[in-house]
């Protein structure tokens, strides 16, 4: 055992008990060597250098002490001059010898000793091998001149060799230049750590002032001393002379007498002429640089005033004006300041705008980067109320633009964690990087969702744009046309919020159903209640339905011309007496409307009880059968508390439309879709939406519309035999945002029979990730092609498409001239409009100003009148001057830049983004309704007014209407209609005669074609003869109006030219279809839609007449909210487990 123990090796040193007790004290016994670093800094010279030069605090103190010594020496010189008695005589000895008292001499010697010692020490510490460089420096020479004579006099006086040497004249006043040098070094030390442009500007101004003071002080002291042998000038007279001389006034009452003083004055003027211009030049340069960089937002202002910061990569005038007009449209933001932080130099147009007094006092432009803490400090980001970070949508690479936005958001969040962030992002796949931001608007998400809803709810883009713009509803009120007045007044409606118990509108509806409160609030006050939010819940519910009971702490969201706090209320006794029942009204003639006064700033609009008449169309009568005594259909009252049996619920999970189909139709139609959540999303951050899905995903080869595969042999849209019309989307690439176009069109609340096939016409083939996301949706196809090619349009089924959506291409968004970015899109859409004028084309543009070129007609009088109206509205300061353009009013064109105001409005209304996402279907909240529409048919005209329609919808289905999309016949302007009434009537009759003639001729051999016109050239001579006959007839009827006859003939010839041009275009399309092997049976010849116009009425007054073909916007309750809990599953058609679980969770 002993041998075994002796063989055990000893423990390593780190495991010994002695090392555990002694720690590192036993390192001396080892071979290790302790190494000390930076020993060169421990020398005496390095320590002195660290104290006098390197260390900022100690160096600043040393330079401050040196500055004080120089000022003290100058002060002692002034005291010596004031205490000296001027001696008589003109001897030159008075220049070299002065009267200096002993105490004063002692102080000056002490100051000289200290100054000389400090100068020699600093010269030694800054010595770098060249001693002459240190000796020949001007500060060192001045120090020798001012200090050495005092030290020499000190030695001789105390050795009693030359006692009078203490009266030797020394030009101590030259110490002012040493004081200036010390001041410059002190300021440089003060700003050594922070290199800012305004610090350099402050330094240069300080140097200029100190140089000027030194020149004046040197001149004063020099002239006073040299005139000791002349006029015996005192310091005040010398000061007077210097000011008069340097200001170039030159009175001549005080002048130097001796040649030495005159020579000195000449020398000082020469020095001033050389030194001062250099200083002024440097100051001007720094001032220009500061103007470019924008200066600084002071800390004092940031703490006493409120400001927001706008971070952009490049600032354009349109973006700036949109932001300023929308931001300052709210009264409580008038005292805010806007600090713009942009890395580029200020544009010329932006500079001109910011020089306007209205903006120059509110907007501060800083040139800098959000990635630099110094620039964020200049903008006082940590004290800002909010930071808006906008992306540059005009970049060629939009992904790169998003990356820059993400870095800016990260930098701001790192520098100022408590500053609220409002971020605009372009691509949806980049949205999850900035989830920490308070409010985020993804451009492509909103864009494609609005384009999708435009296909099923016409003009949704116009509806959303008007809701998110701040307006007072005064646009178009000076117009002679009634539709423009109604459209402009209703455009002033916005979304507001208020707590129910604090509201005059809704307080009386506590404990009652939501639909009851919505209907009666609209009936009584003209406001439209669209949603609520519980106090303890962050989710907003749009139209939660009649089962939702209003609580006193609920936050109500309503649409009105102004918020309740700015409204004044007027009660009328007659209206109180006429209100027999609060819940409903069964009047014999019309619905009474309470008078409300909508206060809009200083303007009050009194919407009184008016008669039910329509200014834009004929009066609609009630449907009667046989006699006038027949009672019109009644409308059920809206109940205070919902009755389950009275609600016509729509169980969309079972889809009632399937029960209405016959067995043959059910076999022939493959409509067996499942409902669930899409199993695959193309990007992170997309909100899950309950959709119509296929049981099994479609192979990728079957998604190609124009290519046959082993599963089907179809090569064009006509061969598929779709029952519903197509929706075609023309885009450059299949981006992830295009996924948000498909989802709203396949949402679970869309009936299966109404699902339109979707065809994606892409310039570039889509990637596999996108195909994997869309292969679960029914009737979704893609095709590689372009709208520039007529063959591609015909193959994808444009001849029988319901809507053609043209998305602005990313590659054309950047152009040398900004507004030319839409040139290609506009021309392509104009070609489509000419070839297929009956096709509903929805276009997205980059710049809103280019909307005037959509469906452009150069000689259309009505378009010219609208152009003049737009200019007048812009001159009145309207932010929505483009709203009267017919394509925008009809919802056929929009620009995503118009939604920038949504981000700006969220600073005041933090709920606007959430409400907009719910309306567009981007977010789905359990219990929240969705946006849809219904069309007024002839059977619905008995309802008569919008108030009765409101009551009918609330009492039957629980829907809440929010507006009307109305289409009317287009008329000439009032002046033109008064001038040429007969001409317009005859022109219309001519076109009708031509249509009937052509239809009769073509009806014999082209029965399958509708409204087709012949392209035979033999018809043209007949039409020309007819036009000449009508011209002669008009000339005989109206001899007094020969000019009008010429105008009529020109108009008729133009109509004939258009007719022949349409025939040629139709023949071109048919020939291409025959060449491609496509049948022309389904081709519908073009009908010119220039005789109609469409517009939106948001929250119209209750007495507004409903007309035939009106489209009513509805917020329909969530169908899943009405499903009873006892039925866990109505059908087992959910394609995945995730869909089943999610459906059960959303049941209320």
């Amino acid at each position: 055992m002993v041998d075994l123990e002796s063989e055990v090796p000893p423990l390593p040193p780190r495991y010994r008990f002695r090392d555990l007790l002694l720690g590192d004290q036993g390192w001396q016994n080892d071979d290790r060597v302790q190494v000390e670093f930076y020993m060169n800094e421990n020398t005496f010279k390095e320590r002195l250098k660290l104290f006098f030069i390197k260390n900022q605090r100690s160096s600043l103190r040393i330079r401050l002490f040196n500055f004080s010594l120089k000022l003290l020496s100058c002060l002692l010189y002034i005291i010596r001059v004031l205490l000296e008695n001027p001696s008589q005589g003109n001897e030159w000895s008075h220049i070299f010898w002065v009267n200096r008292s002993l105490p004063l001499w002692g102080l000056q010697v002490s100051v000289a000793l200290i100054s000389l010692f400090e100068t020699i020490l600093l010269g030694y510490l800054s010595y770098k091998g060249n001693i002459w460089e240190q000796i020949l420096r001007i500060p060192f020479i001045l120090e020798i001149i001012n200090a050495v004579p005092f030290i020499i006099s000190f030695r001789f006086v105390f050795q009693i060799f030359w006692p009078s040497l203490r009266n030797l004249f020394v030009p101590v006043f030259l110490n002012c230049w040493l004081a200036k040098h010390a001041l410059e070094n002190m300021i440089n030390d003060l700003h050594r750590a922070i290199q800012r442009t305004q610090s350099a500007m402050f330094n240069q101004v300080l140097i200029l002032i100190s140089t000027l003071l030194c020149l004046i002080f040197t001149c004063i002291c020099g002239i006073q001393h040299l005139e000791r042998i002349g006029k015996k000038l005192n310091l005040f007279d010398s000061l007077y002379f210097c000011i008069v001389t340097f200001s170039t006034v030159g009175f001549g009452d005080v002048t130097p007498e001796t040649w030495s003083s005159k020579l000195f004055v000449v020398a000082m003027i020469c020095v001033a002429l050389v030194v001062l211009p250099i200083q002024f030049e440097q100051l001007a340069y720094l001032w220009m640089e500061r103007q470019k960089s924008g200066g600084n937002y002071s800390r004092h202002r940031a703490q006493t005033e409120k400001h927001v910061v706008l971070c952009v990569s490049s600032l354009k005038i349109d973006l700036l004006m949109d932001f300023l007009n929308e931001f300052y449209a709210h009264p409580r933001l008038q005292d805010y300041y806007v600090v713009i932080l942009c890395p580029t130099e200020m544009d010329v147009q932006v500079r001109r705008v910011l020089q306007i007094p209205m903006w120059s006092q509110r907007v501060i432009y800083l040139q800098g980067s959000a990635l630099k803490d110094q620039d964020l400090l200049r903008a006082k980001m940590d004290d800002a109320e909010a930071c808006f970070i906008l992306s540059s949508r005009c970049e060629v690479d939009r992904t790169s633009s998003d990356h820059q936005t993400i870095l800016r958001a990260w930098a701001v969040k790192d520098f100022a964690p408590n500053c609220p962030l409002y971020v605009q992002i372009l691509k949806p796949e980049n949205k999850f990087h900035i989830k920490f931001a308070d409010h985020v608007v993804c451009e492509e998400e909103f864009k494609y969702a609005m384009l999708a809803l435009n296909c099923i709810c016409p003009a949704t883009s116009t509806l959303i744009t008007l809701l998110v713009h701040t307006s007072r509803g005064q646009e178009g009120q000076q117009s002679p046309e009634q539709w423009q007045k109604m459209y402009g007044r209703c455009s002033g409606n916005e979304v507001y919020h208020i707590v129910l118990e604090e509201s005059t509108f809704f307080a009386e509806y506590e404990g009652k159903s939501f639909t009851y409160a919505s209907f009666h609030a609209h009936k009584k006050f003209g406001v439209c209640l669209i949603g609520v939010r519980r106090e303890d819940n962050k989710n907003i519910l749009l139209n939660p339905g009649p089962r939702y009971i209003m609580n006193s702490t609920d936050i109500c969201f309503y649409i009105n011309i102004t918020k309740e706090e700015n409204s004044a209320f007027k009660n009328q006794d007659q209206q109180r007496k006429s209100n027999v029942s609060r819940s409903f009204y069964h009047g014999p003639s019309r619905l009474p409307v309470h008078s409300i006064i909508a206060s809009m700033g200083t303007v009050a609009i009194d919407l009184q009880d008016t008669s039910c008449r329509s200014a834009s169309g004929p009066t609609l009568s009630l449907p009667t059968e046989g006699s006038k005594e027949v009672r019109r259909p009644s409308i059920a009252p809206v109940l205070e508390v919902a009755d389950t049996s009275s609600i016509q619920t729509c169980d969309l999970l079972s889809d009632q439309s399937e029960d209405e189909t016959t067995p043959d139709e059910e076999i022939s139609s493959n409509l067996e879709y499942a409902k669930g959540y899409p199993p695959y999303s193309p990007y992170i951050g997309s909100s899950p939406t309950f959709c119509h899905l296929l049981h099994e995903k479609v192979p990728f080869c079957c998604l190609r519309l124009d290519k046959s595969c082993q599963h089907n042999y179809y090569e064009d849209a006509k061969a598929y035999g779709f029952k519903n019309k197509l929706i075609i989307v023309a885009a450059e690439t299949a981006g992830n945002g295009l996924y948000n176009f498909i989802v709203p069109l396949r949402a679970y609340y869309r009936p299966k029979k109404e699902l339109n096939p979707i065809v994606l016409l892409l310039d570039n083939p889509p990637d596999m990730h996108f195909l994997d996301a869309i292969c679960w949706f029914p009737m979704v196809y893609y095709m590689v092609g372009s709208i520039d090619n007529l063959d591609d349009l015909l193959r994808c089924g444009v001849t029988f498409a319901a809507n053609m959506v043209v998305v602005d291409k990313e590659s054309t968004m950047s152009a040398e001239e900004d507004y030319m970015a839409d040139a290609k899109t506009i021309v392509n859409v104009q070609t489509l409009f000419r070839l297929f004028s009956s096709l509903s084309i929805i276009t997205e543009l980059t710049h809103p100003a280019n909307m005037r070129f959509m469906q452009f007609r150069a000689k259309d009088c009505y378009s010219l009148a609208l152009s003049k109206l737009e200019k007048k509205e812009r001159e009145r300061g309207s932010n929505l001057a483009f709203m009267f353009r017919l394509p925008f009013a009809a919802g056929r064109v929009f620009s995503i830049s118009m939604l920038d105001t949504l981000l700006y409005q969220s600073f005041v209304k933090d709920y606007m983004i959430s409400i907009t996402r719910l309306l567009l279907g981007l977010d789905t909240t359990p219990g929240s309704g969705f946006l849809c529409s219904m069309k007024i048919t002839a059977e619905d005209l008995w309802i008569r007014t919008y108030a009765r329609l409101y009551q009918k919808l609330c009492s039957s289905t629980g829907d809440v209407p929010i507006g009307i999309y109305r289409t009317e016949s287009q008329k000439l302007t009032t002046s033109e209609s008064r001038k040429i009434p007969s001409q317009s009537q005859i022109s219309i009759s001519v076109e009708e005669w031509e249509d009937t003639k052509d239809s009769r001729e073509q009806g014999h051999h082209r029965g399958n074609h509708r409204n087709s016109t012949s392209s035979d050239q033999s018809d043209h001579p007949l039409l020309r003869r007819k036009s000449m006959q009508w011209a002669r007839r008009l000339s005989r009827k109206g001899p007094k109006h020969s000019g009008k006859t010429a105008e009529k003939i020109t108009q008729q010839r133009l109509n004939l030219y258009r007719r022949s041009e349409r025939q040629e275009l139709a023949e071109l399309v048919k020939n291409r279809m025959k060449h491609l092997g496509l049948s022309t049976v389904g081709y519908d010849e073009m009908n010119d839609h220039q005789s109609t116009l469409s517009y939106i009425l948001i929250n119209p007054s209750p007495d507004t007449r409903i007309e035939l073909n009106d489209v009513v916007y509805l917020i329909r309750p969530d169908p899943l909210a009405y499903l009873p809990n006892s039925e866990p599953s109505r059908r087992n058609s959910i394609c995945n487990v995730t869909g089943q679980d999610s459906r059960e969770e959303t049941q209320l």
Side-chain angles (χ1 to χ4, degrees), residues 959-971:
D959 299 342
V960 173
I962 62 174
I964 296 176
Y965 177 76
R966 178 162 294 174
T967 301
E968 298 179 355
S969 60
Q970 181 177 331
K971 302 176 183 179

Side-chain angles (χ1 to χ4, degrees), residues 819-831:
Y819 292 93
M820 285 297 176
D822 296 320
K824 187 175 182 179
T825 302
I826 292 174
V827 174
N828 289 336
V829 172
Q830 183 72 5
T831 304

Side-chain angles (χ1 to χ4, degrees), residues 988-1007:
I988 293 174
S989 63
V990 169
E991 293 184 359
E992 290 178 353
W993 184 86
E994 290 177 357
D995 291 339
T996 55
K997 173 181 176 299
D998 292 337
S999 61
R1000 285 194 223 104
E1001 292 179 355
Q1002 300 295 332
H1004 298 288
H1005 54 87
R1006 291 187 182 181

